[in-house]
Amino acid sequence: MPNKILNAKLLWMQFEDVLAPRLGLTVWDRAVYSYLLRHSLVVGKLRLHFAVLSVARDLGLSNGPVRQAVRRLDEMGALRLLERSKTGHLVEMRLPEQIRALRPDKNGASQAAEGPPPSALEATDFLKTWALRKTIHDRERSACFYCLRRTPAHVQCLDHVVPRARFGRNSYRNLVSCCIECNTRKGDRAIPDFLRTLYRQGRLTPAELDGRLRALKDLAAGKLRPLLPAGRNHRTS
Ligand SMILES: [Zn+2]
């Protein structure tokens, strides 16, 4: 909407009251989204080219969390990553009212508050709505899938066991809830290797390591099913 004059009051309220809580944004996601919006739609530009390094420097963060936040915002539809190259990222920003997961459907219910019928479990994209993402966090009972640490809502995120870049799906068999630290430190490592690193660092006991490796197999085998929100108009917010 480059030529549209933004209603700052409305935008701010949509951001704080709808977008951030419905999508379950972390403080990093919030900082990055609001920074990118400030330099794009707020000044009449739909697209923005930026270097993670500069954004991180301006926000006083390190590169990893900024890169992760951009990836999460892309997955949630809050921006669209058009290009990633040596010179930086090219993104197209979305206003809260343009984000698909937050738009009301024809019955007036927000898509973020709905769940699909259970028969569709295998085909469900669990990053699609806030309510679906929450089912993965709930399945892990607010503990990091990798290090087992308690993860309050503001420091938990969803992680692809097989990275999306390597064709990992947004299935409940490929998504886990974890702490920001594990999400950042894991990098491109295979999960069993990362779990063994946690064990070597004394963050998992031998029994916990065995349990995590078993859980990883159960996850891939479809044994760790999240509980889908009941009913079409069920609201979890
Ligand atoms: Zn962790």
Side-chain angles (χ1 to χ4, degrees):
M1 304 280 125
N3 299 318
K4 187 176 151 187
I5 295 173
L6 290 176
N7 179 335
K9 183 178 163 189
L10 183 67
L11 174 61
W12 199 352
M13 282 164 55
Q14 283 175 335
F15 173 60
E16 287 292 339
D17 303 345
V18 182
L19 179 113
R22 284 279 173 82
L23 294 184
L25 299 190
T26 64
V27 287
W28 291 271
D29 300 336
R30 291 166 76 123
V32 170
Y33 177 79
S34 113
Y35 179 96
L36 295 179
L37 204 64
R38 148 72 184 88
H39 292 278
S40 58
L41 296 174
V42 168
V43 289
K45 279 162 60 183
L46 179 61
R47 293 178 173 184
L48 177 68
H49 189 263
F50 64 92
V52 164
L53 201 77
S54 333
V55 176
R57 193 190 48 221
D58 287 352
L59 291 175
L61 296 170
S62 39
N63 299 342
V66 172
R67 196 168 284 119
Q68 301 276 350
V70 172
R71 203 186 69 194
R72 276 195 300 272
L73 290 167
D74 175 43
E75 288 167 352
M76 292 186 269
L79 57 81
R80 200 153 72 89
L81 186 54
L82 301 171
E83 204 179 290
R84 194 167 51 186
S85 66
K86 276 185 195 155
T87 59
H89 290 60
L90 178 67
V91 298
E92 200 170 273
M93 294 303 293
R94 298 268 185 275
L95 289 170
E97 66 195 31
Q98 299 167 322
I99 297 173
R100 202 161 161 261
L102 300 177
R103 278 206 303 249
D105 65 11
K106 36 187 190 302
N107 300 320
S110 160
Q111 295 177 37
E114 292 177 18
S119 58
L121 187 70
E122 294 301 327
T124 299
D125 176 343
F126 276 83
L127 285 184
K128 202 170 168 191
T129 67
W130 174 86
L132 287 168
R133 283 190 293 279
K134 185 172 181 298
T135 63
I136 303 288
H137 291 302
D138 288 349
R139 183 189 64 192
E140 261 77 273
R141 298 198 181 109
S142 300
C144 172
F145 184 86
Y146 303 128
C147 72
L148 295 172
R149 221 169 22 170
R150 300 288 305 162
T151 51
H154 66 283
V155 293
Q156 62 188 195
C157 48
L158 292 181
D159 187 56
H160 287 91
V161 170
V162 176
R164 221 165 64 114
R166 289 195 213 137
F167 311 106
R169 294 187 307 137
N170 298 339
S171 151
Y172 73 96
R173 297 172 184 238
N174 192 41
L175 284 172
V176 295
S177 171
C178 70
C179 67
I180 300 261
E181 199 185 330
C182 282
N183 187 278
T184 308
R185 292 176 50 189
K186 182 181 70 99
D188 287 335
R189 262 177 293 185
I191 304 296
D193 292 346
F194 176 60
L195 290 172
R196 286 184 195 104
T197 305
L198 291 176
Y199 163 67
R200 280 196 297 275
Q201 291 169 342
R203 295 175 62 194
L204 289 176
T205 66
E208 284 170 343
L209 173 65
D210 281 351
R212 293 299 82 205
L213 291 170
R214 248 194 333 268
L216 202 56
K217 282 191 183 143
D218 288 347
L219 182 79
K223 291 181 188 170
L224 305 183
R225 295 177 167 219
L227 276 178
L228 290 177
R232 196 172 158 69
N233 293 318
H234 177 91
R235 282 181 181 273
T236 45
S237 56

